[in-house]
Amino acid sequence: MNNKLPPSFRIDMDDKKAWSPESSSEPSAFEGDMHQVKRTFTRRLTESFKRDPNASVTRSSISAGDNHHHYDAEAAAQATAMSPLLRRLKGRHLQMIAIGGSIGTGLFVSSGRALAYGGPASLLIAFTLTGCMLYCTVQALGELAVLFPVAGSFAAYSTRFLDPAWGFAMGWNYAMQWLVVLPLEIVSASITVDYWIQNVSLNAAWVAIFLVMIAVINFFGVKAYGEAEFVFSVIKVTAVIGYILLGVLVNIMGGVDSNGRADGSYMGFRLWHHPGAFHNGFKGLCSTFVTAAFAFAGTELVGLAAAETENPRKTLPTAIKQVFWRITLFYIVSLLIVGTLVPYDDPRLLNGQSNADTKASPFVISIQNAGLAVLPSVMNVVIMISVLSVGNSSIYGSSRTLAALAEQRQAPSFLAYIDRKGRPLYAIIISTALGFLAFLAASAKQQDAFNWMLALSGLSSIFTWGSICLAHIRFRKAWIEQGHTLDELAFRSPVGVVGSWIGLGFNIIVLIAQFWTGFSPVGYASESASDLVINFFQAYLAAPVVVIMYIGYKVYMRTSIIKTRDMDLFTGKREMNVKSLVAEERADRLNWPTWKKVYKFLC
């Protein structure tokens, strides 16, 4: 199948991007013609929104057969490989994009509810194991994204290496996750303002301000998005490091007496003994796993950004390894400290109006317990910035996924429109328009709207991560079966196929745990039957949506599981002649000292 591709498609990914002025040192025909014309700012701005004529190849390659209920996997692979997205992101952008998409309400606020349900030991165990699972998943994603830095990333990999119907379900699952997260995070941001100004009538104004700010950033293109995430993430990382240092000092000399007043005593692991390290037994631990998975959601954005990275083979492996370890250390260390400063039976952990209510944040509560008057407000500002950062990532994630789906004929074709600045314009407009749902924050149904939006996105990351692991397993099998060797891979997952099996298995376990805790939640004895039904659907709504999309598309398009011998391992492949380069790099590694080998393995 791969050898039958026409010569016009047997080109390197760099050549496929050569039409773009940002991906070449030479000016394009468009820029060359216009250099002689003095244009006003308005004219330059309006022309930047036009589709570049050289980008039309992505549609012509798949236009044939639009009227037939048959999926052309080869044409879809060509379309994602030749997407005219611009390569404007650098390594520092990649690292901070992954951090910015992860450190948010899951860490700062939702961890409080997890602490209340499971106790500090369950919180630490769940986040540590989820971090290990995500390590395996992100390494698998890195191997695929370095070799195939195509538009759509993991959704496209599901289409190419699993089943086009599953790729359709995963693509729309991921797009819907981010489409819903935007209003969700804007609602969350408006709720954080309630920490200072408790006036529901003003929520609509805050929603408008936050929505306009996020939309403007994304309309300035991928580089503006990368720079914004870099700034947001620096603030968040600095805040977490500062909290860790503060938490150590508070633990040593900021203990409280039985009346909750600071007495300057050493705390240590006092709260692990009373009220205890675990709460609600094994069910409490399972409920904490779900929160941990939600908190780590967004780390996979680094793979989605590969198609817009200057040099994926060089920057992506470093970003994947370093970013993951930074996130893991931030989560585990900060939550370890939280568990020593806030008892799981503190009523404030469950008194929040929603999963975005900073009054229920264990980070804020621990600072309040220490008697520090100003710092809780500072921490609330950091939480608001974190929420806006995730909202910013949501437009990026949903728009790129929608554009890639359209390129593969799995979404309306107008969403594939990419302008001369590399922006998927209509996809960004649709993503931004969904943000208007956030105006529900000004209504009396604020909490219900928040919960149901969260229900649509709750399990999405679990399906995405599991699909990445399964796609990597299938890719490796096809790679060997079609006569390739692992030495030909520019980047190889250090945990290999075994790590992908571990990641896939853990994601399945989390799905089972979520089903159990959704059907029989912690404290279910105090809830009515109707409340239990609502709780289950809010906890597991994403699963039936994915199944319906998969079965519906499979029946309509009559797709089948891709056989390993038929998988396309050529289209979109970057660095076609890397064998000698990789061999030279690996020979150089043999001379590295042991400490450097360990460091490079981890970072």
Side-chain angles (χ1 to χ4, degrees):
M1 173 180 174
N2 300 335
N3 295 329
K4 295 180 180 179
L5 289 173
S8 60
F9 290 119
R10 299 180 184 177
I11 52 179
D12 184 75
M13 281 294 293
D14 286 330
D15 296 327
K16 291 177 181 177
K17 301 286 182 177
W19 64 268
S20 167
E22 281 78 358
S23 60
S24 173
S25 59
E26 298 295 328
S28 67
F30 169 75
E31 285 194 338
D33 292 339
M34 300 308 295
H35 273 316
Q36 308 302 322
V37 181
K38 184 175 180 63
R39 296 176 296 168
T40 64
F41 172 78
T42 303
R43 185 177 178 184
R44 292 197 305 269
L45 181 63
T46 54
E47 287 178 349
S48 72
F49 290 105
K50 296 179 180 179
R51 186 203 289 267
D52 193 294
N54 295 298
S56 61
V57 65
T58 57
R59 297 309 307 159
S60 61
S61 63
I62 62 173
S63 59
D66 280 346
N67 296 324
H68 302 283
H69 294 181
H70 175 70
Y71 189 79
D72 190 340
E74 183 176 329
Q78 294 165 4
T80 55
M82 301 176 70
S83 176
L85 295 171
L86 301 186
R87 298 191 181 279
R88 303 291 299 275
L89 294 175
K90 302 181 184 297
R92 63 184 178 89
H93 294 143
L94 276 185
Q95 295 179 23
M96 289 304 177
I97 283 172
I99 292 178
S102 298
I103 298 180
T105 56
L107 171 64
F108 290 126
V109 183
S110 298
S111 58
R113 189 172 295 270
L115 175 63
Y117 285 157
S122 293
L123 187 69
L124 193 62
I125 291 172
F127 274 80
T128 301
L129 292 179
T130 304
C132 293
M133 177 273 294
L134 197 57
Y135 173 77
C136 298
T137 303
V138 172
Q139 293 298 326
L141 175 60
E143 182 176 308
L144 294 172
V146 169
L147 192 62
F148 303 103
V150 299
S153 190
F154 25 81
Y157 302 147
S158 294
T159 296
R160 183 183 294 198
F161 303 129
L162 300 177
D163 183 347
W166 188 250
F168 170 84
M170 287 301 96
W172 277 103
N173 167 69
Y174 197 71
M176 285 196 304
Q177 172 189 345
W178 287 117
L179 287 171
V180 169
V181 162
L182 176 60
L184 187 70
E185 295 301 322
I186 294 177
V187 169
S188 301
S190 69
I191 293 176
T192 61
V193 180
D194 291 342
Y195 184 84
W196 300 289
I197 305 173
Q198 296 182 2
N199 189 341
V200 177
S201 62
L202 292 177
N203 279 355
W206 294 116
V207 165
I209 293 172
F210 295 144
L211 180 59
V212 169
M213 184 178 71
I214 292 173
V216 167
I217 291 174
N218 280 272
F219 274 109
F220 270 103
V222 66
K223 190 171 183 179
Y225 163 73
E227 293 294 347
E229 280 306 295
F230 183 84
V231 173
F232 286 154
S233 297
V234 166
I235 295 173
K236 291 188 288 185
V237 169
T238 302
V240 173
I241 293 174
Y243 176 81
I244 291 173
L245 297 177
L246 175 66
V248 171
L249 293 176
V250 171
N251 186 281
I252 294 174
M253 60 185 67
V256 296
D257 58 24
S258 58
N259 296 319
R261 294 189 296 267
D263 59 9
S265 62
Y266 172 72
M267 293 190 66
F269 285 86
R270 180 193 307 172
L271 298 180
W272 285 49
H273 297 283
H274 180 76
F278 293 93
H279 189 218
N280 292 314
F282 185 66
K283 182 182 291 186
L285 175 62
C286 289
S287 66
T288 309
F289 274 118
V290 175
T291 302
F294 169 75
F296 276 106
T299 309
E300 70 287 337
L301 274 173
V302 69
L304 189 67
E308 297 176 85
T309 303
E310 288 182 349
N311 188 352
R313 196 189 74 81
K314 180 180 178 181
T315 59
L316 198 57
T318 301
I320 283 174
K321 288 188 286 187
Q322 290 187 355
V323 165
F324 167 76
W325 281 107
R326 290 172 187 173
I327 291 175
T328 302
L329 291 175
F330 290 152
Y331 273 75
I332 293 175
V333 174
S334 62
L335 290 178
L336 172 63
I337 292 175
V338 162
T340 64
L341 299 179
V342 181
Y344 70 71
D345 58 357
D346 191 314
R348 289 172 292 180
L349 294 173
L350 297 175
N351 280 348
Q353 298 176 3
S354 72
N355 289 335
D357 196 334
T358 54
K359 293 188 291 294
S361 167
F363 290 79
V364 174
I365 292 173
S366 63
I367 296 175
Q368 290 174 336
N369 288 346
L372 302 173
V374 178
L375 288 183
S377 291
V378 174
M379 197 68 206
N380 194 68
V381 172
V382 173
I383 294 174
M384 184 169 64
I385 291 174
S386 302
V387 169
L388 293 175
S389 173
V390 177
N392 188 38
S393 296
S394 69
I395 290 185
Y396 178 83
S398 59
S399 63
R400 270 56 181 184
T401 304
L402 286 173
L405 287 169
E407 293 282 5
Q408 300 173 84
R409 291 195 298 119
Q410 293 178 332
S413 60
F414 75 92
L415 293 174
Y417 184 101
I418 297 177
D419 64 23
R420 285 168 168 162
K421 291 297 182 180
R423 294 168 296 207
L425 191 59
Y426 292 141
I428 291 177
I429 292 174
I430 294 296
S431 301
T432 304
L434 265 292
F436 284 99
L437 290 175
F439 283 101
L440 291 171
S443 72
K445 296 294 184 179
Q446 177 195 95
Q447 181 61 39
D448 291 337
F450 189 98
N451 289 338
W452 285 108
M453 284 190 287
L454 185 63
L456 280 172
S457 63
L459 287 178
S460 295
S461 292
I462 303 300
F463 285 105
T464 297
W465 296 339
S467 296
I468 291 171
C469 293
L470 185 57
H472 179 246
I473 293 169
R474 297 268 295 159
F475 158 76
R476 277 288 191 94
K477 184 178 180 181
W479 187 257
I480 299 300
E481 187 173 317
Q482 294 188 24
H484 298 279
T485 65
L486 298 182
D487 291 334
E488 298 177 55
L489 297 174
F491 171 71
R492 189 191 310 174
S493 169
V495 291
V497 177
V498 174
S500 294
W501 278 113
I502 292 173
L504 178 61
F506 192 88
N507 279 289
I508 294 174
I509 290 174
V510 173
L511 285 176
I512 296 173
Q514 177 73 334
F515 184 87
W516 181 34
T517 57
F519 181 76
S520 179
V522 174
Y524 71 94
S526 60
E527 298 186 28
S528 65
S530 60
D531 289 337
L532 289 176
V533 172
I534 293 174
N535 182 81
F536 176 76
F537 278 103
Q538 288 182 344
Y540 226 73
L541 182 61
V545 171
V546 167
V547 172
I548 291 172
M549 287 192 295
Y550 171 66
I551 295 176
Y553 191 82
K554 191 172 186 66
V555 172
Y556 184 75
M557 297 298 292
R558 299 193 294 273
T559 66
S560 58
I561 297 175
I562 305 295
K563 297 179 180 178
T564 53
R565 66 175 181 269
D566 296 330
M567 288 182 185
D568 182 0
L569 302 181
F570 184 89
T571 304
K573 183 179 174 184
R574 187 174 175 84
E575 304 287 357
M576 300 296 290
N577 298 314
V578 300
K579 191 171 183 179
S580 60
L581 178 61
V582 172
E584 181 180 340
E585 291 177 351
R586 288 174 180 165
D588 182 56
R589 293 174 190 171
L590 296 177
N591 298 322
W592 288 353
T594 302
W595 68 267
K596 189 172 183 179
K597 291 179 180 179
V598 174
Y599 174 79
K600 288 296 184 179
F601 176 82
L602 298 177
C603 304

